[in-house]
Amino acid sequence: MSIDHTDSTDAVQSADSANSADGGLPGGIRTIPEFAGVREVWPRGDRLAAVRAAAESYRERFRGQGEITAVRTFDIAAAPYPTKFAFNGSALAVNPFVNIANRVLVVRYQDFEGNPCTLVWEPTVAAGSREAPYYSQLQSIFGDFLSNRVFTRYYHEPEDVLPLCGVRPEEVDYVSFDHLHVQDVRMIMGSSKAFPGERTPPTALFPNASMLVHRKELGTFESPHPMQWAWYVDGGMDGVPEERVVPFEGDIELGVGVSLVWTPGHTDGNHSLVLNTPDGIWVSSENGVAADNWQPELSRIPGVKRHARFFGREIVPNANTLEDSLDQYDSMVLEKTLADPSKRDPRWRQVLPSSELVRWKRQWPVVPTFTHGGLNHGSFSRSRTAG
C-alpha cells in the first residue's frame, strides 16, 4: 500500500481547487490535501501507516508556511473526572476521580491574505458545563457544596482572559472547540431564546465571531446516541444564529501557522488545533488528558506503561466515550507525529491537552509525569505585519 503525497506547491493548488469546487470557506480558509483519503484506507493496519505518513508530509509543509503572531493560554476550571476514563482503565488508582483543568487558548495569526485574525480555542463556560448530564448527575449525588466548592476549582471566565491579552471581544474572528462535550454553545455564541426563568436571551461573548465546528460533531450535538448522551448539554444550541456557525468537513488551514486537523475517535467530529510557534509545532487535543496518554512508555503513573507494553500499543486514550477506539488511536498517532519535541525535555512531544490532568495530592498516585505548562508567545497588536 502506498499513498502519493504531492509537493507543497501542488498541495496548495489542490486545496484551492477543492475550496472552489465546494463553494469555498470563509476568510481564505482552505482544506488540507495531505489527509485526503487516508481515513478510508483498508485494512486498518495500513490505515494507521497512511495516517502517520500523511502527518509527516503535512508537518513539513505546515512548518514552511510560517508562525503564528501570538498565543496565550489560561486555565478555566478544574473539574472531577473518572480515573478509569482518563487512561482507559489502565491507571492503578486510590481515588476514583482525578481532576482535569479546561484550558482556553487565544491565538493571533494572519490569514493567507495577510489580514490579522483572532481565534479563541476552547472558551468553556463552566456554568454551562454543569448542565451536561454527567456533571448534573454528579451534583445530584454529591450536592452543590462538594460538586462546586470541593471537587471543582475555578480560575477564569472566558470573557475575562481577553483583556489580559489586550484583545477586545469584538476583535475575535473565530471560536472553536475540539468537540462539544459539556459545552452550552448558547452561552458563548448567543441565542434568540431565553433560558427558562429568564426574561432576555443570552448574548454572545464575542459579538463578531463565527464558530467553526466539524459537521459530524454538529450532527452528534443535534441527535446524540445514548452512548454519547451524558456528555452533551441538552438544547445547548437552541436559538444559536445559524449564520454564526460554520460547519466544515475534514481538515482545514485557517491561516499562517494555524490548522484544525480532523482527529476522530474520541468523538466522530473531534478535531485538534495545530500551531506553529517559535518553540516549534504544538497540537492541542483532548484525546488524552496528560502527556502520558501519548507517550505511555515514559509514564510513571502506575499501570499505564505496563498496560501499553502488554498490549503493544504506543498510546493510551482518554476513553469516556470511545466512539471509535481504532480511529482515536490513529488520531493520537497523527497528533504526536505532527508535534515537535519539547524544548524543555526532547523526549516528550508538544501535545498540549485541552483539558489537562492536574497535579493534586488527593489524586495520588495518578499525577502527570510531565506537564508542558502554558503557552505565551508574541504580541497581540492588531496591526498588519508582513507575511
Side-chain angles (χ1 to χ4, degrees), residues 212-271:
L212 296 163
V213 57
H214 197 282
R215 197 174 296 277
K216 286 184 178 291
E217 188 68 11
L218 190 61
T220 298
F221 199 102
E222 292 169 348
S223 181
H225 185 277
M227 292 290 288
Q228 302 164 320
W229 166 82
W231 302 99
Y232 288 91
V233 176
D234 184 35
M237 289 195 70
D238 289 353
V240 174
E242 290 186 10
E243 66 272 14
R244 302 200 62 200
V245 178
V246 180
F248 67 91
E249 297 181 0
D251 317 89
I252 57 175
E253 296 178 325
L254 306 189
V256 177
V258 185
S259 294
L260 301 181
V261 174
W262 185 31
T263 48
H266 183 69
T267 72
D268 290 323
N270 200 82
H271 59 280

Side-chain angles (χ1 to χ4, degrees), residues 23-67:
L25 290 162
I29 296 173
R30 59 197 192 191
T31 55
I32 301 174
E34 282 87 350
F35 296 110
V38 297
R39 298 177 184 91
E40 287 77 47
V41 171
W42 185 264
R44 292 303 298 259
D46 285 352
R47 184 181 304 179
L48 173 59
V51 167
R52 195 190 307 268
E56 291 171 348
S57 176
Y58 180 58
R59 181 183 61 211
E60 298 313 309
R61 182 169 72 82
F62 178 73
R63 190 194 315 279
Q65 290 178 347
E67 299 173 0

Side-chain angles (χ1 to χ4, degrees), residues 1-21:
M1 183 273 306
S2 63
I3 292 181
D4 180 25
H5 292 292
T6 57
D7 63 25
S8 298
T9 302
D10 289 342
V12 173
Q13 290 174 345
S14 297
D16 291 342
S17 297
N19 289 342
S20 298

Side-chain angles (χ1 to χ4, degrees), residues 26 93 123 141 219 238 248 265 276 298 328 331 333 349 359 369 385:
I141 295 170
D238 289 353
F248 67 91
N276 190 16
L298 300 176
Q328 187 168 357
S331 292
V333 170
R349 311 300 290 192
R359 189 180 294 274
T369 305
T385 59

